[in-house]
Amino acid sequence: LLQGTVAWAAARFLPAPVAAALTVAAGVLLSGGLHLDGLMDTADGLASGRPPREALEVMRDSAVGAYGIMAVCLVLLLQYSAALSLLNLDYSLLAGIYTSIVTLSRASLVSAICLHPYARSQGLGSAFRGSGKREAVGAWVTSALVCVALCRRWGPVLLAGSLALALTYGFRMAR
């Protein structure tokens, strides 16, 4: 909701490219950049071409490699482009889309944790081990309600795309 508010307010007073950049920056600040850090670690580990145990060590290393930099640049560019394309929406739909996106991303995390084996014996996700399909379904049902309530006709589109992407990516990563 805060990111949608930043987008709407910035679009009223600033040129669209600046408003889009501030919108993306707000998202990074609100999340503490945690997801971007995880993205970079994942890209570096998976692109390393090393066996799984060694790839996990690459992901644990705090240094960022070329694949991590490329991944974060591409994601931020996509976020910027998406923000730029959404700035002309009315406030309620814009705020609803940003609220739904955050809700959907969290449902994706819940389904990844609940449906797939954890790669390490310890770590941030290990506390959620033992969660199951019921929790994953609950997260997606909650997201569906948020999307439909806040995004009107775009809600089911956001939901279907996110669910397909989360499940496809999750099963691919688990393999």
Side-chain angles (χ1 to χ4, degrees):
L1 183 60
L2 289 172
Q3 191 176 10
T5 301
V6 167
W8 180 82
R12 300 300 162 263
F13 301 105
L14 301 168
V18 175
L22 288 174
T23 301
V24 173
V28 171
L29 292 173
L30 288 167
S31 71
L34 181 64
H35 306 307
L36 295 176
D37 180 55
L39 170 70
M40 291 186 289
D41 292 341
T42 301
D44 283 336
L46 294 178
S48 72
R50 297 181 183 179
R53 185 171 302 293
E54 291 178 31
L56 287 172
E57 288 306 314
V58 170
M59 290 180 196
R60 183 171 282 175
D61 187 353
S62 62
V64 178
Y67 288 104
I69 298 291
M70 287 186 279
V72 79
C73 287
L74 290 172
V75 164
L76 290 172
L77 181 61
L78 287 169
Q79 288 181 355
Y80 172 81
S81 298
L84 193 58
S85 69
L86 295 173
L87 290 177
N88 291 328
L89 298 176
D90 66 72
Y91 173 73
S92 63
L93 184 55
L94 186 62
I97 286 173
Y98 277 101
T99 303
S100 296
I101 288 169
V102 171
T103 304
L104 291 164
S105 72
R106 298 319 180 267
S108 298
L109 289 172
V110 170
S111 63
I113 290 170
C114 294
L115 301 177
H116 306 293
Y118 193 60
R120 304 179 199 272
S121 60
Q122 296 178 5
L124 291 175
S126 62
F128 300 99
R129 202 171 318 154
S131 300
K133 291 179 183 175
R134 185 181 62 173
E135 288 84 358
V137 169
W140 284 105
V141 167
T142 301
S143 292
L145 294 172
V146 169
C147 286
V148 170
L150 299 179
C151 296
R152 302 174 220 151
R153 69 172 192 252
W154 294 107
V157 174
L158 285 172
L159 178 66
S162 296
L163 183 58
L165 183 63
L167 292 176
T168 301
Y169 184 73
F171 284 108
R172 171 76 173 104
M173 293 299 295
R175 273 193 313 163

